[in-house]
Amino acid sequence: MNQANLVIEAVPQSSGTHSPEVMEQRPFAIPSSKLVMWLFIISDACTFGAILFAYGYIRNSAADWPLVFESASIWNSLLMTFILVSTSLTVLLAVKAAQSEDRAKAFRWTMITAAGGVLFMLLHIREWLSLIGQGARMFQNPWGAPMFGAAFFSITGLHMAHVLGGVIALTVVGLSYRAGRYADRHIEIWALYWHFVDLVWMFVVPLVYLLNMKR
């Protein structure tokens, strides 16, 4: 009798409905949303890697590649670097606060991170306007190889677009988290994205700015 009961219990029911306790296992034992973000970061890293590799090839193959950045531009780029590195810390503090269920503090640090991104973009736009005012365009400039403008505006423009996307996402997530519609994992996921944007800038500064400094 006991064996028969065990056999009956082991047979799945074919009523056409799924038991609420039966859930599909997460791939790689991490939430699907975090997995998607990691896949996006990996694919985006390949994109930036290809662009920076192409930039290095163009720069080395051009005999008259211009060295245009003066000390003011270098200090401006270092200031932008300091701001992005600082926002990596503030978004980490936002994640820690969210994990501690301190919604007010998590929202505050998230908004500080977004504000740092806005400040970064303003400094970057100022740099763009300075170069444009000196005659730099996508395929021409008064200093030498015409591809300099295309390379500079493409690389920095793509990165700035990522910063803008991160600012919008952090603002939306922060407001939704404060309202109780999002959980701490949402802040953590977008913190991963923000760290990636910061990491990319660590490659842009030496390749685009420091190597093109006037000597």
Side-chain angles (χ1 to χ4, degrees), residues 91-198:
V91 78
L92 179 61
L93 293 174
V95 172
K96 294 297 183 182
Q99 291 174 345
S100 301
E101 299 184 357
D102 190 341
R103 291 186 177 271
K105 184 179 293 186
F107 172 75
R108 182 167 63 251
W109 284 119
T110 302
M111 292 301 101
I112 291 174
T113 303
V118 172
L119 180 58
F120 173 88
M121 289 189 293
L122 291 176
L123 292 173
H124 219 327
I125 292 173
R126 185 180 71 174
E127 185 69 34
W128 273 32
L129 294 177
S130 175
L131 288 176
I132 292 173
Q134 298 176 55
R137 301 293 186 270
M138 281 294 292
F139 294 101
Q140 67 179 25
N141 64 79
W143 308 295
M147 286 298 293
F148 168 80
F152 175 79
F153 290 120
S154 297
I155 294 173
T156 58
L158 180 61
H159 181 266
M160 190 157 46
H162 280 70
V163 174
L164 176 60
V167 167
I168 295 173
L170 287 174
T171 301
V172 172
V173 170
L175 292 171
S176 299
Y177 177 77
R178 185 180 63 170
R181 293 191 297 271
Y182 281 174
D184 60 297
R185 72 177 185 276
H186 295 99
I187 295 181
E188 181 182 0
I189 289 169
W190 284 103
L192 290 174
Y193 172 85
W194 194 258
H195 289 314
F196 167 72
V197 172
D198 293 354

Side-chain angles (χ1 to χ4, degrees), residues 38-50 158 162 193 196-197 200:
W38 274 115
L39 292 175
F40 171 78
I41 289 174
I42 292 172
S43 63
D44 217 25
C46 294
T47 300
F48 274 105
L158 180 61
H162 280 70
Y193 172 85
F196 167 72
V197 172
V200 170

Side-chain angles (χ1 to χ4, degrees), residues 15-71:
S15 59
T17 60
H18 295 283
S19 173
E21 290 81 8
V22 178
M23 296 180 65
E24 183 179 356
Q25 293 184 354
R26 296 170 176 174
F28 306 106
I30 64 174
S32 298
S33 54
K34 184 181 290 188
L35 176 62
V36 170
M37 180 56 74
W38 274 115
L39 292 175
F40 171 78
I41 289 174
I42 292 172
S43 63
D44 217 25
C46 294
T47 300
F48 274 105
I51 291 175
L52 291 175
F53 178 83
Y55 162 77
Y57 177 83
I58 295 172
R59 185 185 185 280
N60 290 329
S61 61
D64 57 343
W65 190 263
L67 304 177
V68 301
F69 294 115
E70 300 178 354
S71 59

